[in-house]
């Protein structure tokens, strides 16, 4: 996202041959253990922590299976990060559901293969997909999408784990250290140092 704080800097200031001091990725993304359905909602590069949680669900699926819903929104196939990796993980799960939404599908994008619906996330879509209220919801994406998810969950009375932060390096939230409300009305980290 060239409009994010860090991404904007990289797009505007860094050129081929620039030298950068970097560190390893931070955080390990926590998927709460349990048997309830998991709903992973992301948009754009917000897919990264959701993909980590999808890996966690796949790693425990043989001994502790749980239904996983994967809802991801991207502009089009060219902007759909980790598409094959996510599809492969979903195919390996005992029970998975996928809905990929493209807001501006390109002429070569294939409905039913690259993406499942045009448009944006909505309460109507959640209802059409039959997503249960008694599920663990996780979301990461740009502020308008997170606000929409927050509003959808509030309208349905769903306790969601969302980090509605701004001003972070990514432009919409930091996956390292976000504190979120949990089902039992306490608070926890959505990730931990890793």
């Amino acid at each position: 996202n060239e409009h994010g704080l860090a991404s904007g800097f990289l797009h505007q200031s860094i050129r081929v041959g620039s030298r950068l001091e970097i560190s390893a990725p931070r955080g390990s993304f926590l998927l709460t253990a349990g048997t309830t359905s998991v709903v992973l909602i992301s948009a754009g590069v917000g897919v990264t922590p959701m993909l980590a949680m999808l890996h966690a669900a796949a790693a425990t699926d043989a001994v502790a299976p749980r239904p996983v819903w994967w809802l991801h929104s991207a502009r089009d196939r060219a902007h759909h990060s980790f598409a094959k990796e996510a599809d492969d993980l979903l195919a390996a799960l005992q029970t998975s559901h996928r809905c990929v939404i493209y807001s501006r599908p390109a002429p070569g994008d294939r409905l039913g293969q690259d993406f499942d619906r045009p448009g944006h996330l909505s309460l109507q879509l959640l209802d059409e997909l039959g997503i249960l209220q008694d599920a663990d919801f996780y979301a990461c994406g740009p502020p308008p999408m997170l606000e929409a998810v927050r509003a959808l969950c509030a309208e349905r009375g769903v306790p969601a784990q969302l980090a509605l932060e701004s001003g972070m390096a990514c432009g919409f939230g930091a996956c390292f250290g976000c504190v979120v409300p949990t089902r039992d009305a306490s608070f926890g980290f959505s990730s931990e140092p890793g």
Side-chain angles (χ1 to χ4, degrees), residues 27-191:
S28 54
F29 307 101
L30 302 176
L31 179 62
T32 304
T35 58
T36 57
S37 295
V38 174
V39 182
L40 303 174
I41 304 172
S42 60
V45 297
V47 69
T48 307
M50 298 302 105
L51 187 64
M53 291 181 185
L54 185 57
H55 273 279
T60 60
D61 194 57
V63 293
R66 60 198 298 194
V68 175
W69 291 86
W70 179 260
L71 281 70
H72 179 68
S73 182
R75 184 177 304 156
D76 53 29
R77 185 174 54 180
H79 293 88
H80 186 172
S81 302
F82 306 113
K84 182 177 179 351
E85 185 175 352
D87 284 346
D88 290 347
L89 287 166
L90 290 165
L93 292 171
Q94 293 181 43
T95 306
S96 67
H97 311 275
R98 177 192 109 138
C99 185
V100 173
I101 307 157
Y102 284 178
S103 60
R104 289 181 266 167
D109 294 344
R110 299 162 297 186
L111 181 63
Q113 189 170 352
D114 299 321
F115 70 108
D116 303 300
R117 301 203 180 206
H120 298 278
L121 182 68
S122 67
L123 180 59
Q124 179 183 352
L125 175 61
L126 293 179
D127 288 338
E128 285 175 21
L129 295 174
I131 294 176
L132 303 173
Q133 256 181 263
D134 187 27
D136 293 331
F137 283 69
Y138 299 86
C140 187
M145 187 219 74
L146 287 176
E147 181 53 37
V149 172
R150 186 208 58 77
L152 292 172
C153 289
E155 187 173 326
R156 294 182 76 171
V158 174
Q161 297 195 26
L162 308 173
L164 297 173
E165 298 183 15
S166 60
M168 300 303 195
C170 62
F172 54 80
C175 299
F176 180 66
C178 296
V179 177
V180 295
T182 60
R183 269 182 189 269
D184 64 2
S186 64
F187 289 87
F189 288 98
S190 61
S191 65

